[in-house]
Amino acid sequence: MALTLTYPEGGMLVTGGTGSVGGGIVRALAKAGVPLVFTYRGNKEKAEAFEQELRNEGAKVWAQAMNMADTGLIQAAMDRVIAECGGIHGLASGAGPMVSFEKLMDFPVEEAVRFVNEDAMGYFRLFHAVTPLLRANGGGSITTCSTFANRRILVYDGISPLSKGSVEAMVRYV
């Protein structure tokens, strides 16, 4: 027996759509027929090529520049989903800043501040924008990426759980 996926009316926002994780999410949702807007941070050419590739396969996808540190760009991405898809029923986040793998106490304080601002606070900004839209639409789904280091000690993944623990807590509260 085959699994059939169904989705409500409207579309989704997928952050980090040109990365390895986000790109995989975009490809799977597009293949399932979900209209979506995917975001990219800086590589417009890669985003446009990916958008065209998926459109050539019949997908309804749109690329949108976004930075999770900028509430205006986050809102523009939300607006784009509503404009192109007629509403929003979900968020799948594959975005996240790159971070080096080091022991927690070897991680420079300034880099920790940057990472938490871009990651945990970026997710807060994103959830702050999408939650009212999902509520107005009668509900929806939020999917995020995390780290196994929230469950057990991974010596050289000391900084990820600092942020991803916050993201997991926000998901529970939202």
Side-chain angles (χ1 to χ4, degrees), residues 113-134:
V113 169
R114 178 199 61 81
F115 178 65
V116 170
N117 184 51
E118 289 182 21
D119 198 55
M121 290 305 300
Y123 275 91
F124 178 78
R125 291 178 195 98
L126 190 61
F127 294 168
H128 198 265
V130 76
T131 302
L133 299 174
L134 294 176

Side-chain angles (χ1 to χ4, degrees), residues 44-65:
K44 184 177 182 178
E45 294 77 25
K46 183 177 181 180
E48 288 175 345
F50 189 39
E51 176 185 41
Q52 191 58 53
E53 172 192 337
L54 294 173
R55 284 176 168 269
N56 290 343
E57 296 171 6
K60 295 178 182 176
V61 298
W62 297 267
Q64 176 75 32

Side-chain angles (χ1 to χ4, degrees), residues 21 38 43 101 123 148-149 160 162-163:
V21 173
F38 70 89
N43 194 336
F101 288 94
Y123 275 91
F148 191 65
S160 289
L162 178 67
S163 176

Side-chain angles (χ1 to χ4, degrees), residues 2-65:
L3 176 66
T4 302
L5 303 176
T6 59
Y7 296 89
E9 292 295 315
M12 289 186 70
L13 176 67
V14 180
T15 65
T18 56
S20 298
V21 173
I25 295 167
V26 169
R27 194 174 294 284
L29 288 170
K31 184 177 179 181
V34 178
L36 63 92
V37 171
F38 70 89
T39 69
Y40 63 94
R41 185 170 179 170
N43 194 336
K44 184 177 182 178
E45 294 77 25
K46 183 177 181 180
E48 288 175 345
F50 189 39
E51 176 185 41
Q52 191 58 53
E53 172 192 337
L54 294 173
R55 284 176 168 269
N56 290 343
E57 296 171 6
K60 295 178 182 176
V61 298
W62 297 267
Q64 176 75 32

